[in-house]
Amino acid sequence: MTLSTDTPHAPPIADAAVRGTVVLKPRRARPFFARHPWVLDSAIKRVDVIDPEAGAFGPDVGAVVTEASTLDGAVVDVTTSRGEFVGRGIFNGRSRIRIRLYTFEKDQQLDRTFWHHRLETAIDTRRSLGLPATADGAARLVFSEADGLSGLIVDRYADYLVVQPTALACATRLDMFIGHLTKLLDPRGIVLRADSTLARLEGFELEAGTLWGELPADPLVISEHGIRYYIDLEGGQKTGAYLDQRDNHRQAAQYLSGRRVLDMFCYTGGFALAASMLGKAASVVAVDSSRKAIETAEANARLNGIENIEFRVGSGFETLDGLVDGGEQFEAVVLDPPKFASGRHKLDDALRAYHRINRQAVRLLPPGGILVTCSCSGSVTPYDFVAMLAGVSQRTGRDIQILESRGASPDHPIRVSCLENEYLKCFICRVG
Ligand code: SAH
């Protein structure tokens, strides 16, 4: 594993010494008193670098650090414009998120013990939830801000861990995290996944691959609610699976008994397999544009001895249009598309795309049909999404009743002070 940050004078980044003070503009501290962890560059008045030699403020006093700096990856204190302590975090001059705050306690050092404790608390939370449910199960053990570890994802797949740092703060402390994870969980192997878009925004590069131990010799199989799935730790989407949908797979299945089901955007078959095995659906057509995903989905069906799912490679939009034009009917439709909105500025385009696929799905359903409709775009709020469904109801002249409003599984908690983590919506609806 190599970490490249191109910092000319990189400080001893992973240590706990406070190396700077970030002074906020007047009246900009409120979100942080409410414990939001992201200090954006626009909120900062001044950055004072503490000179480690002098043990006091050095020659950069008053300098506004706007780009790659000696502080990157180092601990800084954030204060109000009047000098009151706000929080302590890690600086990154390359990112719009200039500081990620990890504590709001003045006496709390960001030392090894602190990070270890945060990992332990996150893992204990999952244990208390009974997750993973079995030795061959999978669960998210660390979910970034939700676990007070902004910029770190850790997923467990049976005996293996997948680690994904999404912030420089955590990328520069990776060895320490890995060391403690091996001690706490004794995994067979740890794989590093890098989200190149996020890494670019944070100004670091990590080489994906095996970080520790070994990769499974045979294809890895995990189980979820008694259904078995192949997992590609290195090449699969996300970190291998959509763990956030785990409980929605099972819950949706409860509504599908005896029905002819369409699973659009099926990936490796999460909703389709649950519909067949847990829900006793009559038959399922499952569609995804990724050939690789469909091949794995077919292998998953064989692995579980399922024979009533027909898998197809195809575009979601075109397939839906084709099915509607061909006068096809399904008694239930699942829509779980990829993220349509990359930010609030893309909201209108995203809502139009959601409207389009949901409208077509409704047209495929007879009265009494079930629509399971999801959105993983964080910038689309649940209210936006319901308003979109109201538009679909108006346009199609059909009633849509929400039977269940759901989010991600509980191993993806939402910290009330950072709603950016609340991205997944899953509505189970009855269409009249
Ligand atoms: N339902 C899945 C997760 C789906 S994620 C589960 O529960 O496990 C979204 C899926 O949409 C991905 O598998 C991706 O390959 C697929 N996808 C992306 N763009 C698509 C398109 N235009 N048409 C069809 N599928 C698409």
Side-chain angles (χ1 to χ4, degrees):
M1 189 269 300
T2 54
L3 171 72
S4 144
T5 56
D6 301 326
T7 309
H9 309 290
I13 36 188
D15 78 8
V18 178
R19 300 194 179 271
T21 303
V22 175
V23 182
L24 298 173
K25 290 177 184 164
R27 292 181 300 281
R28 297 300 289 270
R30 229 168 123 183
F32 315 114
F33 286 133
R35 305 174 79 87
H36 196 281
W38 299 346
V39 182
L40 301 188
D41 54 352
S42 55
I44 297 173
K45 179 173 150 206
R46 206 177 73 231
V47 180
D48 296 335
V49 180
I50 297 173
D51 181 343
E53 305 285 280
F57 290 104
D60 282 344
V61 169
V64 176
V65 182
T66 53
E67 50 194 42
S69 87
T70 54
L71 282 182
D72 286 352
V75 176
V76 293
D77 280 352
V78 174
T79 74
T80 65
S81 58
R82 290 198 296 265
E84 298 152 294
F85 179 82
V86 171
R88 184 163 292 143
I90 311 278
F91 191 88
N92 182 4
R94 307 137 196 257
S95 172
R96 203 168 67 86
I97 303 178
R98 197 53 49 98
I99 299 110
R100 288 175 191 261
L101 294 172
Y102 293 95
T103 182
F104 301 91
E105 313 292 331
K106 197 172 185 347
D107 297 333
Q108 177 66 65
Q109 299 306 311
L110 301 189
D111 55 14
R112 206 167 267 271
T113 312
F114 168 85
W115 300 110
H116 286 185
H117 187 247
R118 282 279 156 98
L119 276 185
E120 288 157 21
T121 306
I123 292 166
D124 282 350
T125 304
R126 279 40 176 205
R127 283 206 180 111
S128 72
L129 294 167
L131 290 170
T134 52
D136 63 349
R140 174 148 296 186
L141 301 182
V142 178
F143 185 34
S144 201
E145 289 78 14
D147 288 297
L149 286 167
S150 181
L152 185 69
I153 304 275
V154 181
D155 289 342
R156 177 170 199 154
Y157 291 95
D159 293 331
Y160 297 86
L161 299 179
V162 179
V163 173
Q164 187 174 38
T166 57
L168 180 77
C170 294
T172 48
R173 286 163 176 77
L174 203 52
D175 286 348
M176 178 268 300
F177 287 126
I178 298 303
H180 203 51
L181 285 169
T182 56
K183 209 171 123 204
L184 291 174
L185 299 166
D186 193 22
R188 283 206 189 160
I190 302 183
V191 173
L192 178 74
R193 294 291 294 259
D195 180 323
S196 56
T197 312
L198 289 177
R200 201 168 335 107
L201 290 174
E202 284 281 310
F204 70 88
E205 267 178 52
L206 277 176
E207 220 175 279
T210 312
L211 265 185
W212 188 88
E214 57 192 24
L215 275 181
D218 299 318
L220 180 63
V221 173
I222 60 124
S223 82
E224 174 187 290
H225 304 313
I227 306 173
R228 304 174 78 214
Y229 296 87
Y230 288 108
I231 298 292
D232 179 355
L233 294 177
E234 289 189 294
Q237 294 186 24
K238 296 259 266 191
T239 59
Y242 289 85
L243 299 175
D244 50 357
Q245 290 282 29
R246 180 195 317 108
D247 291 352
N248 295 332
H249 294 156
R250 180 180 58 185
Q251 199 55 27
Q254 308 307 313
Y255 294 84
L256 304 179
S257 170
R259 291 181 187 255
R260 181 161 188 256
V261 179
L262 174 65
D263 178 9
M264 281 308 283
F265 311 96
C266 67
Y267 188 49
T268 56
F271 282 104
L273 270 71
S276 174
M277 279 184 78
L278 306 177
K280 306 277 177 273
S283 64
V284 185
V285 173
V287 183
D288 199 281
S289 61
S290 159
R291 180 168 299 278
K292 192 174 158 210
I294 290 293
E295 282 167 5
T296 306
E298 285 170 336
N300 286 339
R302 284 194 297 276
L303 185 65
N304 290 281
I306 299 175
E307 291 179 348
N308 64 346
I309 307 179
E310 179 199 331
F311 291 101
R312 299 182 192 167
V313 178
S315 141
F317 293 91
E318 283 165 22
T319 306
L320 282 167
D321 290 349
L323 291 169
V324 170
D325 291 347
E328 294 253 11
Q329 290 258 286
F330 291 87
E331 290 147 326
V333 177
V334 179
L335 296 177
D336 185 17
K339 189 156 97 175
F340 283 156
S342 54
R344 219 37 216 175
H345 61 292
K346 291 277 170 60
L347 185 62
D348 286 347
D349 289 350
L351 288 173
R352 262 193 293 279
Y354 285 119
H355 178 98
R356 188 174 149 198
I357 58 170
N358 279 275
R359 193 179 70 216
Q360 296 299 55
V362 164
R363 287 183 173 147
L364 292 173
L365 291 167
I370 293 291
L371 173 66
V372 179
T373 180
C374 311
S375 159
C376 59
S377 304
S379 39
V380 174
T381 68
Y383 300 104
D384 294 330
F385 199 75
V386 171
M388 177 279 298
L389 287 176
V392 169
S393 169
Q394 181 181 354
R395 183 72 188 272
T396 55
R398 305 279 296 276
D399 279 326
I400 301 177
Q401 292 169 298
I402 297 172
L403 307 175
E404 290 195 40
S405 314
R406 303 177 56 86
S409 314
D411 50 341
H412 296 60
I414 297 157
R415 183 165 285 226
V416 293
S417 54
C418 185
L419 294 182
E420 284 82 353
N421 281 142
E422 186 191 25
Y423 64 97
L424 186 66
K425 297 152 283 295
C426 173
F427 291 97
I428 304 177
C429 308
R430 181 183 180 280
V431 175

